[in-house]
Amino acid sequence: MAASIIDGKEIAARRREQVRVRVAELKTRGVTPGLAVVIVGEDPASEVYVRMKEKACAEAGIYSEKHVLAADTSQSELLGLVGQLNARDEIHGVLVQLPLPDHIDEDAIIEAILPDKDVDGFHPISVGKMVIGQETFLPCTPHGVMVLLEESGVDLKGKEAVVVGRSNIVGKPVALMLLSKHATVTICHSRTEDLPGVCRRADVLVVAVGRPEMVKGDWVKEGAVVIDVGVNRTDDGLVGDVEFDAAAKRASAITPVPGGVGPMTIAMLMENTRVSAMRHAGLE
Ligand code: NDP
């Protein structure tokens, strides 16, 4: 079986266009969504992500501002800036780009962001609400994975879903989101015994490990849907966590890297910012 390719670029572009149209409507009602992005120090990958976020905001009609702080900025200075952004009415989303320099406690910064401006969905209140199924901002990458599955017509009810990776930003939340759609979910990690055997049970296999092509083609069940969250820079360019060519021979559908999950993250961030602006304006 040759897998169909789940085109994240195309799906993300459609979602961003939807956001653009809805933002234009919001503007006619006097509301312009606003996103503040804070970056501390000079991490080249973070700088690329922040530029992409600014560009996406401009295309969606969302006001954005970038705060670039020196690498030696103290935790209290950063907390001061977050406090100012929290207090500004025209800013509906506050995002502090991770990772932060070692001398800053990331948890303290995430917890300082007002939950109702937490468009990254990392605040403990956002996470807690997600766990108990209350409406909240969903973290962008796992939410993007769910949109890819939905747009690909994958019915998760009763299916075996296996998530490889248990990070707070991808593995754990995507597992909860799959559970909320009634999949039977297994979460794997570095101590999992017989990882290939567990993966072979999966009707839906989501991989977020950060190891180039770790999941081999023959770990994929015939007809499974494979979502590869991994982004690994190698001498051969960007590759995912799944051995794509071999997996694509067995899967029914698979995401490519690049062009799969990656573009969805920013699309979902734009959507969260729009929703935050609506909520702040009492329009939802
Ligand atoms: P983390 O490093 O935080 O977590 C990796 C997870 O993989 C851990 O739970 C770890 O297990 C598990 N793991 C590591 N080695 C193995 C192994 N040999 N067998 C089984 N499990 C293993 O990574 P992230 O979740 O932040 O990111 C994962 C990947 O997704 C990365 O490539 C990252 O670049 C990418 N990513 C892409 C995004 C996007 O497309 N927009 C956004 C975020 C991430 P343990 O907990 O036991 O250590």
Side-chain angles (χ1 to χ4, degrees):
M1 182 191 298
S4 63
I5 306 300
I6 301 175
D7 187 346
K9 234 172 133 177
E10 196 264 333
I11 295 169
R14 245 188 295 134
R15 288 285 169 142
R16 280 167 59 173
E17 175 58 14
Q18 278 173 14
V19 173
R20 190 191 66 75
V21 169
R22 290 177 182 158
V23 166
E25 282 165 16
L26 263 183
K27 284 181 168 172
T28 65
R29 302 166 83 172
V31 180
T32 300
L35 175 68
V37 180
V38 181
I39 179 167
V40 185
E42 288 171 10
D43 176 54
S46 294
E47 283 168 13
V48 171
Y49 291 136
V50 168
R51 264 202 305 279
M52 286 162 67
K53 287 169 187 174
E54 283 183 292
K55 185 166 170 272
C57 282
E59 283 171 16
I62 293 173
Y63 167 74
S64 76
E65 58 184 41
K66 179 170 75 169
H67 297 262
V68 183
L69 305 184
D72 62 355
T73 300
S74 70
Q75 180 161 322
S76 62
E77 282 173 295
L78 181 55
L79 286 171
L81 175 60
V82 169
Q84 285 167 24
L85 296 170
N86 280 341
R88 282 174 51 199
D89 289 343
E90 73 280 22
I91 297 297
H92 307 101
V94 178
L95 184 159
V96 179
Q97 187 67 40
L98 304 178
L100 290 168
D102 289 344
H103 66 278
I104 297 180
D105 176 1
E106 278 185 4
D107 289 344
I109 303 303
I110 290 170
E111 285 173 36
I113 296 170
L114 277 182
D116 68 9
K117 296 192 177 185
D118 174 38
V119 285
D120 248 348
F122 293 160
H123 192 288
I125 288 185
S126 308
V127 176
K129 284 187 169 180
M130 179 185 63
V131 171
I132 59 175
Q134 286 184 7
E135 193 172 75
T136 185
F137 293 116
L138 295 176
C140 300
T141 300
H143 191 194
V145 168
M146 297 308 289
V147 171
L148 289 179
L149 291 170
E150 185 191 316
E151 294 270 344
S152 308
V154 178
D155 180 12
L156 291 163
K157 210 179 307 148
K159 297 285 160 49
E160 285 264 2
V162 172
V163 178
V164 189
R166 57 173 165 183
S167 71
N168 288 337
I169 62 166
V170 190
K172 277 184 208 159
V174 88
L176 281 162
M177 291 178 202
L178 290 162
L179 182 65
S180 76
K181 296 291 177 192
H182 313 296
T184 301
V185 185
T186 303
I187 307 176
C188 303
H189 45 78
S190 63
R191 269 57 150 223
T192 297
E193 286 182 12
D194 187 20
L195 184 61
V198 179
C199 290
R200 280 188 199 109
R201 296 206 312 252
D203 300 308
V204 176
L205 180 60
V206 179
V207 187
V209 168
R211 289 173 177 251
E213 301 187 327
M214 188 195 81
V215 170
K216 304 301 171 200
D218 68 358
W219 299 13
V220 173
K221 177 168 143 181
E222 287 286 344
V225 175
V226 179
I227 306 288
D228 187 351
V229 185
V231 180
N232 305 289
R233 284 176 180 78
T234 70
D235 294 342
D236 302 327
L238 280 191
V239 298
D241 289 345
V242 178
E243 200 184 31
F244 180 85
D245 290 341
K249 292 199 176 95
R250 295 165 69 101
S252 60
I254 187 167
T255 56
V257 177
V261 176
M264 295 305 294
T265 301
I266 288 186
M268 304 329 291
L269 175 67
M270 297 300 106
E271 174 65 3
N272 277 353
T273 306
R274 177 194 74 82
V275 168
S276 182
M278 284 194 68
R279 287 184 187 153
H280 279 88
L283 295 173
E284 206 192 42

